Amino acid sequence: SAQNRLEQAKAAQERAIEALQKAASALEEDRKVRAKELARMLEDLVRSIRRLIEETESRKGALEQVAEGKGEREMLARDPLAGEFGRLSQNTRGVAADARARSREAARCARSLDSAAMSMAAVAAKLRSGEFARGDAVAAADAALKHLEDALKQSEEAAQRAEDRAAEEKREELLVKYREFLERQVVLRESVGKLPTGGGDKPLGR
């Protein structure tokens, strides 16, 4: 009957809509997860750079107290601090490598981190030099801090952009759900309007 055909068509339409909605939902969920993951990774990068800044500032304070001297005794006394700056340089290069591996957004601050690592290595080399000049070493440490501050600013800006995108993804998700609700309402109204009415039925003969 016409009623059965209408119900079958309506059921087929609902199945098609449901399949499309599932596919769209899967794509949307994947995009949302990626946006959240990027924001989280960039926040981790910001924290790592802040730790590097704190450690560099601490070691710079120790560097400013190192006595100048060209003797072997003075060189041996400076060697532990040189080792600390060397390890800090390696850690900074590690953070830079992680930044490049995470995303293009994070990779943009890797160059500043590489420059900071080079300046830290320069401090270590100066501390081990027989011609140690504290002012030159402190200047290299200041350069390292400047590069780290640049990297921090770049990573914070990238993290903010990622957070904004994640928030936009959430808003778009709500809009999609609202549009789906409206589309269902339209389909329902159209289906109800096509239902046959009792007034057009012919009376049955006796």
Side-chain angles (χ1 to χ4, degrees):
S1 67
Q3 179 67 32
N4 289 336
R5 288 195 299 272
L6 177 60
E7 290 179 353
Q8 291 173 357
K10 181 180 177 182
Q13 184 181 41
E14 288 179 348
R15 288 194 297 271
I17 291 174
E18 183 178 0
L20 288 173
Q21 287 174 339
K22 286 182 178 180
S25 178
L27 289 173
E28 183 68 19
E29 186 64 24
D30 179 64
R31 187 171 63 173
K32 183 174 64 175
V33 167
R34 282 187 282 115
K36 288 183 177 179
E37 182 66 14
L38 176 59
R40 185 192 64 77
M41 288 190 301
L42 288 169
E43 284 295 334
D44 289 344
L45 178 61
V46 168
R47 285 191 289 270
S48 295
I49 295 173
R50 285 176 178 163
R51 284 194 297 270
L52 290 173
I53 290 174
E54 292 175 359
E55 293 175 8
T56 304
E57 288 176 340
S58 174
R59 283 159 179 76
K60 180 193 169 188
L63 177 64
E64 291 171 339
Q65 304 302 317
V66 173
E68 292 185 342
K70 300 181 180 180
E72 183 176 353
R73 180 181 299 177
E74 288 82 2
M75 290 178 63
L76 289 173
R78 295 193 299 266
D79 192 66
L81 185 57
E84 291 181 15
F85 269 101
R87 285 188 292 274
L88 191 55
S89 176
Q90 293 175 353
N91 292 341
T92 303
R93 290 188 187 279
V95 173
D98 288 343
R100 287 192 176 90
R102 287 179 176 183
S103 71
R104 285 179 295 177
E105 288 279 358
R108 291 174 183 173
C109 71
R111 287 190 295 272
S112 295
L113 290 169
D114 284 336
S115 296
M118 290 177 63
S119 294
M120 294 170 190
V123 175
K126 292 179 186 299
L127 282 165
R128 291 192 172 105
S129 172
E131 301 295 329
F132 175 69
R134 185 173 58 242
D136 292 344
V138 170
D142 285 335
L145 282 170
K146 174 63 170 59
H147 293 310
L148 287 175
E149 292 288 352
D150 290 342
L152 178 61
K153 180 180 179 182
Q154 293 161 351
S155 62
E156 287 176 337
E157 290 174 350
Q160 185 60 55
R161 289 192 296 270
E163 288 178 6
D164 291 343
R165 282 198 297 272
E168 181 62 26
E169 295 287 349
K170 185 63 177 178
R171 286 192 293 269
E172 289 180 2
E173 179 184 10
L174 293 174
L175 287 174
V176 167
K177 289 182 178 180
Y178 181 65
R179 284 195 296 268
E180 289 174 353
F181 170 76
L182 293 179
E183 289 170 359
R184 284 181 176 274
Q185 293 297 311
V186 171
V187 170
L188 181 60
R189 285 197 297 269
E190 290 178 350
S191 299
V192 171
K194 291 178 181 179
L195 288 174
T197 61
D201 294 341
K202 294 181 179 181
L204 297 175
R206 295 188 177 182

